[in-house]
Amino acid sequence: MSKTPISTTLLRPAFFDRPADIVARDLLGRTLMRRLDGNRMGLTVTETEAYLGPHDLASHSAHGRTARTEVMYGPAGSFYVYLVYGLHWMLNIVTGPIGYPAAVLIRSAGELEGPGKLGRALAIDESMNGRPALPQSGLWFEEGKRAGSVIATPRIGVDYAGPRWSARKLRFVLRA
DNA sequence: GCAGTGATCATA
DNA sequence: ATGATCACTGCC
C-alpha cells in the first residue's frame, strides 16, 4: 500500500473521440467521479443520450454554431453544460473530432435518476462548461465497467425534433 | 395536469 | 427590447 499505482483507470480524451452513440453506450457501467469539498465520490453511469451532430434535429447544434453550443465544436472529452427551464443544469460530454458538434447527455448515475437531480447533487454549473473531464477539473470518468444489459429507447423531451429524430433509439439505459 | 424559472436565440 | 422556447422536476 506504500506505492501509488502508475497506471490510472481514467477514461482519456481518445475514449470520447468517437461517434456519440458509440460513446453513450460505452459509458454505461463506467464510473463518474466527482471531487467536492475535498471528498471523492464515484457513481455508476446508468442512463445516457446521444446527440449525433448538426444533422440531428434534436441536437442543440442543429441550428448552427452559437455562443451556447461553442464548446460542442471543441475537443472530445470536454464538458458541455447548460441550464434548461431556468432550473436544471445538464451535464454533457463532447464527442468526436474538433469542429464536429456532438455530445452525450449524462442522464442518471448511481442513485441519481434524472439529469436535473444529477446536476444538482454534483453541484454542476456553468463553471464546468468547457472543462476537460480530468481529475484536475474535479469531474471525470473511470474505466471499470459494471456489467448489465443495455436497453435503447427514444430520447426524452425531444418531440420538437420531429417524428424521425425523436423516434431514434439514442437513449441508453443500463439494467442490472 | 401543470407551475416554476431564467438563459438563449430569433426577430426587430 | 421583446417574446417563445426549453435535452426537467415536483407538486397538484
Side-chain angles (χ1 to χ4, degrees), chain A residues 3 35-36 52 57 65 73 84-86 97 110 115 117-119 124 137-138 141 147 149 152 163 165 171:
Chain A
K3 287 189 176 179
R35 191 183 62 242
L36 271 182
L52 300 181
L57 296 185
R65 195 192 283 232
Y73 293 78
V84 70
Y85 294 111
K117 292 182 199 170
L118 181 78
I124 304 302
S137 297
F141 295 91
S149 57
W165 284 99
R171 170 175 174 256

Side-chain angles (χ1 to χ4, degrees), chain A residues 9-38:
Chain A
T9 58
L10 174 73
L11 287 184
R12 304 191 161 280
F15 176 92
F16 301 99
D17 191 5
R18 295 180 291 165
D21 55 335
I22 301 297
V23 174
R25 223 184 157 95
D26 201 356
L27 272 176
L28 293 179
R30 311 275 183 189
T31 308
L32 175 61
M33 299 296 300
R34 178 61 160 143
R35 191 183 62 242
L36 271 182
D37 305 320

Side-chain angles (χ1 to χ4, degrees), chain A residues 16-23 50-57 59-62 64-65 69-78 80 93-104 155 165 168 170:
Chain A
F16 301 99
D17 191 5
R18 295 180 291 165
D21 55 335
I22 301 297
V23 174
Y51 290 85
L52 300 181
H55 61 298
D56 175 358
L57 296 185
S59 174
H60 290 166
S61 60
R65 195 192 283 232
T69 60
E70 184 61 29
V71 306
M72 294 182 80
Y73 293 78
S78 306
Y80 167 44
I93 185 86
V94 174
T95 65
I98 289 178
Y100 189 80
V104 171
R155 292 170 290 185
W165 284 99
R168 288 280 299 268
L170 293 171

